[in-house]
Amino acid sequence: MTNAQATDKHPGELTDVPGWFPALDQMLFTWFLERQRSQGIQGDLLELGVYMGKSAILLGHHLQAGEKFTVCDLFEGDAPDGANQAESQKSYASLTRQTFERNYLSFHDTLPTVIAAPSSVVPEKVAPNSCRFIHVDASHLYEHVHGDIGAAHDILLPEGIVVLDDFRSEHTPGVSVAAWEAVLNRGLRPICLSTQKLYGTWGDPEPLQEELLDVLRQRSDCGLSVQEAAGHRLVRARSRGMKPPPFPTSRHYLAPAPASVPAARVTESRAARPARPAPSRARRLAKDLLPPVVTRAVRRARAKHS
């Protein structure tokens, strides 16, 4: 995995915020969250692992009146064990709480509730059955992801949605084991799979799958397949040059300067050229009567003495 680098500049657009949040997942987050709004589903939002804030900024945009948004990350704090500490130093050394808050406040007026601690403390801070959407993107170690999934189960509303990041990346086998273990043994039911994330619920996934399939089948920028495995229908989506959905610019956005237009090249038309004087009658007679050789000799002589 390549480390996204921090920046000391205020982002003008969501694309300016470092992080791993592909256009396909931005579209899926937006679709699920907007569907919840249209269905009148109320509940809080939760993100475990925020990095520079890219996905948190999008989540915060969908916060409804009366709802609460909570994020949890170690930031500069100490990890609970040596393996987690080594992972943080390798992949997230540039992450600071100050950077996250600066990026988030570029797009929003207030911060979410920030828990600067291991994700294991979240069940003490967030009430059971309170959230409609949870994004799990903290540690990649099996033991921690297993615990995060268990916490998500308790915190989610019955029809809530959980998103597990890096569930099939080659550098995160612990996430893969924990994710599919939850599907096979802990009642998690997949809604869809993107290249990077597993979207699931402990409720009924079928209505969501049917609506999502109708939407994705109409998009030429999204590849789609449906498979069956271990009694689960797996909807697989992949980007085909997909662009991120529209998102508001930040308070620091500066519109690009208009491109300078090169000055038009002036070409002289025949009409604009001064008319040549008409040849005299004597010159016309000479041209008609004298042989070409003589005519050319006369021209050379005139040019020599002019």
Side-chain angles (χ1 to χ4, degrees):
M1 178 173 64
T2 303
N3 293 345
Q5 296 301 311
T7 173
D8 58 359
K9 296 180 180 179
H10 290 283
E13 299 178 273
L14 190 61
T15 54
D16 297 331
V17 181
W20 306 273
F21 196 26
L24 173 60
D25 289 299
Q26 291 184 43
M27 183 274 289
L28 289 171
F29 269 51
T30 301
W31 185 83
F32 280 112
L33 291 161
E34 288 183 348
R35 181 188 182 276
Q36 288 182 329
R37 180 190 294 270
S38 68
Q39 295 284 322
I41 298 173
Q42 291 278 330
D44 296 336
L45 308 177
L46 173 64
E47 181 166 78
L48 308 182
V50 300
Y51 194 55
M52 301 290 177
K54 196 165 192 172
S55 53
I57 291 166
L58 187 147
L59 283 169
H61 180 64
H62 294 275
L63 195 64
Q64 302 179 65
E67 294 180 339
K68 182 179 179 181
F69 182 24
T70 302
V71 301
C72 176
D73 204 293
L74 283 172
F75 298 107
E76 305 98 319
D78 293 330
D81 55 62
N84 199 186
Q85 184 69 27
E87 180 188 33
S88 296
Q89 291 176 348
K90 178 180 179 181
S91 299
Y92 310 110
S94 58
L95 173 60
T96 67
R97 180 169 176 171
Q98 181 183 17
T99 300
F100 164 75
E101 293 184 352
R102 181 198 64 219
N103 290 341
Y104 192 90
L105 289 174
S106 294
F107 295 85
H108 300 286
D109 294 332
T110 58
L111 288 168
T113 298
V114 179
I115 302 174
S119 58
S120 57
V121 309
V122 167
E124 305 169 10
K125 307 287 186 180
V126 182
N129 300 310
S130 62
C131 288
R132 61 183 171 96
F133 194 98
I134 298 177
H135 182 210
V136 178
D137 188 15
S139 173
H140 295 144
L141 304 177
Y142 166 78
E143 294 78 9
H144 298 288
V145 181
H146 181 276
D148 291 343
I149 293 173
H153 171 270
D154 296 338
I155 292 170
L156 270 179
L157 293 163
E159 298 298 323
I161 295 168
V162 62
V163 184
L164 306 179
D165 184 65
D166 278 331
F167 81 103
R168 66 178 185 181
S169 299
E170 63 179 354
H171 65 283
T172 58
V175 182
S176 300
V177 175
W180 291 117
E181 177 190 53
V183 171
L184 296 174
N185 301 326
R186 305 174 75 183
L188 180 63
R189 305 183 69 181
I191 301 169
C192 70
L193 314 175
S194 70
T195 306
Q196 190 164 321
K197 301 180 189 291
L198 184 155
Y199 296 74
T201 181
W202 277 277
D204 182 4
E206 188 170 348
L208 283 161
Q209 287 181 324
E210 291 301 324
E211 289 184 40
L212 182 60
L213 283 168
D214 287 342
V215 171
L216 297 182
R217 284 172 178 147
Q218 298 177 41
R219 299 189 64 121
S220 61
D221 59 358
C222 183
L224 184 64
S225 66
V226 180
Q227 299 180 13
E228 297 284 337
H232 295 278
R233 180 166 67 161
L234 305 177
V235 176
R236 298 177 58 239
R238 62 191 182 280
S239 172
R240 288 179 173 171
M242 184 180 293
K243 303 296 183 183
F247 193 81
T249 55
S250 87
R251 66 184 79 252
H252 305 289
Y253 175 76
L254 296 175
S260 58
V261 180
R265 183 178 178 181
V266 179
T267 57
E268 186 180 20
S269 65
R270 289 185 177 272
R273 296 174 186 170
R276 293 181 180 179
S280 64
R281 184 171 182 274
R283 290 181 64 186
R284 290 199 303 271
L285 288 173
K287 181 178 179 182
D288 293 338
L289 298 176
L290 293 177
V293 174
V294 176
T295 302
R296 286 196 295 271
V298 171
R299 290 177 180 172
R300 285 197 294 269
R302 287 177 179 175
K304 182 177 180 181
H305 293 288
S306 61

